[in-house]
Amino acid sequence: MDILSIIQQLGSGMITSIEIFFLTLVFALPLGLLIAFGRMSKIKIVQWIFKAYISIMRGTPLMLQLLVVYFGPYYLFEIKIAKWYRMVAVIIGFVLNYAAYFAEIYRAGIEAIPKGQYEAAKMLGYTKTQTFFKIIFPQVVKRILPPVTNETITLVKDTSLAFVIAVTEMFTLAKQIAANEASMVPFVAAGIFYYVFNLLVALVMEKFEKKLDYYR
Amino acid sequence: MNLLEMNHVSKTFDGLEVLKDISIQVKEGEVVSIIGPSGSGKSTILRCATMLETIDSGELTYLGRKAAWNEGGKAVYAAHNELKEIHRYYGLVFQNFNLFPHFNVLKNIIDAPVSVLKVPKEQAITEARELLKKLGLGDKEDYYPHQLSGGQQQRVSIARALALKPKILFFDEPTSALDPELTTEVLKVIKELAKEHMTMIIVTHEMQFAKEVSERIIFMENGYIQEEGTPEDIFNSENTRVKEFIGKLESR
Ligand SMILES: Nc1ncnc2c1ncn2[C@@H]1O[C@H](COP(=O)(O)OP(=O)(O)O)[C@@H](O)[C@H]1O
Ligand SMILES: [Mg+2]
């Protein structure tokens, strides 16, 4: 089997991996911000709940979380697991997990903004919402780009974990083909795929950082 | 009618009484300086007057509109909407400027008028450019704060406060973060405003400037107003604490 047909066979898996990647980002980035608000809530009980949530999400393996999301409905409510639910479970699991990491990044970013920025905004009559979205959040984005880049790169590699609930992302296919053909080539191709994917991620993030370079 | 009245204001931080029975009245057009040693409560007065901090008891009134008053020995504040309107009477210039780093100079100045007061953008820009020119920053509107000197940043922050057309402007040690040569340019701007009869309350360690610019000087110590009077009164005061303090600063 030549390299081209191996890549062709890996193709559908690649698309699944890319889907997991983008859907996770699209949902986890905003959800992370909401969780960060919860974590920073003035109401002690709310704060405590989100703290516990983040702690659990970061303290247990993502693989385990995926299994819980996938099998949970069956064991808890005896709902029969439909085939379409696999991919949905993967996305839910990834989003819940990554949102927790993003929440902590947002929180650190928000807490790093000097108090004077809030006071100046208040003095100028901005509402709380205006203050956050016009003054604070843009500065937070600039500060958190490096840690967000790190998480995003980890996410690319983590997409391979979807195999635990039999979603055939790229790595699953690579393993199958490698076993069938008794060849290392599929693994090499998989490695190259993740690497190039991450190169692109790094490139895009660098573009963002450059774009926000106009102020300090 | 007084533009600002603080009557019998007290404020406690974690059991420490930082302001004790403070009363200050300011008429329209007056310039009042507050001097005194570090930790005496000068910033806290401004922060209470501008409602960045709440007072524990006493009264706060702008142009006869009560922002806070005593009820059962404790200060209560007016409703949100009333406070919002009262808020428009005053502005505050901070020691460390607190400009918005992601906005250029022009946007720093026009954003609040446009998005808070709903001034048409074109008009806000025209007015901002006039202000910038007046403050000697006519060529700086496209700069970002980090590209400016401290003195320029402070002048931008003064322009930002003026753009909202406050009736009274508070300054909290506006030149303390600046090198001596940059201090002069900021003080010059404030003197200019005094000439135009802008009402101002200025916390400062610049004695010569305070003497020149103010109608009245308030000397604070340990949360009390120890002495209050014309610059002449204060600079010729018999009070040893006042004398000592002024002597120390003037001999710098
Ligand atoms: N937010 C705060 N929490 C606790 N103590 C404070 C706070 N702000 C000021 N203080 C205390 O109040 C006193 C007066 O402070 P301040 O008004 O800043 O003095 P000044 O401006 O004259 O140097 C100081 O003892 C200071 O430590
Ligand atoms: Mg101070």
Side-chain angles (χ1 to χ4, degrees):
Chain A
M1 205 152 121
D2 57 46
I3 293 191
L4 222 66
S5 64
I6 286 176
I7 291 175
Q8 229 163 30
Q9 286 193 40
L10 289 175
S12 76
M14 283 181 196
I15 288 167
T16 306
S17 298
I18 292 169
E19 269 173 10
I20 296 171
F21 174 83
F22 278 108
L23 289 172
T24 301
L25 280 189
V26 163
F27 292 112
L29 280 170
L31 182 63
L33 186 58
L34 295 180
I35 294 171
F37 286 145
R39 171 71 182 78
M40 293 185 293
S41 167
K42 288 202 183 76
I43 306 161
K44 271 273 144 37
I45 178 86
V46 174
Q47 197 188 96
W48 189 86
I49 289 169
F50 282 95
K51 203 171 162 180
Y53 173 82
I54 292 168
S55 169
I56 291 167
M57 284 300 161
R58 299 207 306 174
T60 60
L62 173 56
M63 193 187 285
L64 181 66
Q65 292 164 18
L66 290 173
L67 290 172
V68 169
V69 172
Y70 183 59
F71 290 111
Y74 176 74
Y75 286 111
L76 289 175
F77 313 109
E78 303 204 359
I79 296 168
K80 199 167 166 299
I81 299 171
K83 192 144 187 267
W84 58 263
Y85 183 62
R86 273 189 198 155
M87 184 64 177
V88 174
V90 165
I91 300 304
I92 292 175
F94 270 82
V95 167
L96 291 180
N97 178 278
Y98 270 82
Y101 282 93
F102 287 141
E104 284 299 88
I105 292 174
Y106 282 123
R107 184 169 71 96
I110 291 170
E111 286 176 350
I113 303 296
K115 199 168 110 240
Q117 293 288 303
Y118 291 93
E119 292 186 344
K122 185 170 181 212
M123 211 38 59
L124 296 168
Y126 289 99
T127 62
K128 288 224 163 85
T129 318
Q130 283 175 326
T131 302
F132 186 76
F133 286 106
K134 287 190 104 126
I135 311 296
I136 306 301
F137 192 64
Q139 298 184 55
V140 169
V141 169
K142 181 183 167 84
R143 280 169 197 257
I144 67 174
L145 275 180
V148 165
T149 303
N150 282 341
E151 276 318 309
T152 309
I153 285 172
T154 308
L155 172 60
V156 169
K157 295 179 282 185
D158 271 357
T159 54
S160 61
L161 288 175
F163 83 91
V164 290
I165 47 183
V167 167
T168 38
E169 43 59 61
M170 204 214 30
F171 199 70
T172 313
L173 280 179
K175 249 183 355 196
Q176 283 169 10
I177 300 166
N180 291 345
E181 306 281 325
S183 154
M184 279 293 285
V185 176
F187 286 135
V188 174
I192 291 171
F193 166 78
Y194 289 119
Y195 186 72
V196 171
F197 196 163
N198 268 329
L199 271 186
L200 290 174
V201 167
L203 215 72
V204 169
M205 295 306 279
E206 207 173 303
K207 271 256 156 58
F208 279 134
E209 280 182 44
K210 277 245 170 66
K211 233 181 149 166
L212 294 179
D213 237 10
Y214 66 91
Y215 75 90
R216 249 171 256 145
Chain B
M1 192 189 317
N2 286 322
L3 176 42
L4 166 69
E5 275 196 34
M6 293 177 93
N7 291 322
H8 308 294
V9 166
S10 58
K11 171 74 184 170
T12 303
F13 281 122
D14 325 309
L16 179 73
E17 206 175 7
V18 173
L19 297 183
K20 300 162 185 160
D21 194 24
I22 298 290
S23 295
I24 298 177
Q25 283 87 33
V26 181
K27 285 197 277 292
E28 214 151 330
E30 253 191 318
V31 178
V32 177
S33 291
I34 302 178
I35 61 172
S38 164
S40 58
K42 304 180 300 294
S43 296
T44 308
I45 289 186
L46 298 198
R47 295 174 60 82
C48 287
T50 54
M51 297 194 250
L52 284 177
E53 302 282 356
T54 53
I55 61 178
D56 296 338
S57 68
E59 242 178 46
L60 177 64
T61 308
Y62 283 90
L63 282 174
R65 292 173 80 163
K66 282 192 167 42
W69 60 89
N70 268 332
E71 244 170 53
K74 277 180 70 179
V76 291
Y77 276 83
H80 180 74
N81 281 341
E82 174 69 3
L83 290 183
K84 228 168 118 178
E85 283 183 30
I86 291 174
H87 196 126
R88 289 180 48 177
Y89 292 142
Y90 61 80
L92 170 63
V93 173
F94 298 87
Q95 182 176 342
N96 49 0
F97 333 132
N98 292 335
L99 290 172
F100 303 131
H102 57 309
F103 289 171
N104 68 16
V105 167
L106 190 68
K107 184 139 168 99
N108 260 288
I109 297 171
I110 65 164
D111 196 67
V114 171
S115 58
V116 176
L117 300 185
K118 312 293 175 205
V119 174
K121 193 167 174 193
E122 285 312 307
Q123 185 191 332
I125 291 175
T126 310
E127 290 176 2
R129 288 194 174 132
E130 277 166 26
L131 270 173
L132 283 171
K133 213 163 123 199
K134 188 169 131 189
L135 302 198
L137 296 162
D139 53 343
K140 295 287 188 273
E141 66 170 67
D142 295 326
Y143 284 57
Y144 284 86
H146 77 272
Q147 298 170 312
L148 301 175
S149 74
Q152 291 167 333
Q153 289 187 51
Q154 189 59 298
R155 281 182 284 153
V156 173
S157 92
I158 293 172
R160 181 176 71 171
L162 288 172
L164 292 168
K165 305 195 173 85
K167 291 191 176 299
I168 177 167
L169 202 47
F170 297 89
F171 293 81
D172 192 358
E173 302 196 26
T175 60
S176 292
L178 304 178
D179 297 336
E181 65 269 27
L182 300 179
T183 295
T184 322
E185 65 186 50
V186 172
L187 295 185
K188 205 178 113 203
V189 163
I190 301 174
K191 281 181 206 163
E192 205 59 45
L193 293 173
K195 269 196 208 125
E196 297 167 11
H197 305 292
M198 179 77 206
T199 314
M200 296 185 279
I201 297 191
I202 308 163
V203 172
T204 183
H205 289 300
E206 302 288 335
M207 288 304 128
Q208 198 48 45
F209 163 76
K211 201 177 191 170
E212 263 176 66
V213 83
S214 0
E215 264 99 358
R216 243 178 330 132
I217 297 180
I218 291 171
F219 176 78
M220 291 274 306
E221 194 172 46
N222 295 327
Y224 283 111
I225 294 182
Q226 293 278 355
E227 187 131 344
E228 177 173 359
T230 63
E232 225 147 87
D233 294 340
I234 297 290
F235 278 79
N236 300 319
S237 170
E238 289 306 313
N239 184 324
T240 48
R241 306 291 303 143
V242 178
K243 264 167 122 165
E244 222 173 83
F245 179 77
I246 291 178
K248 226 186 274 163
L249 282 184
E250 278 192 326
S251 64
R252 267 205 311 208

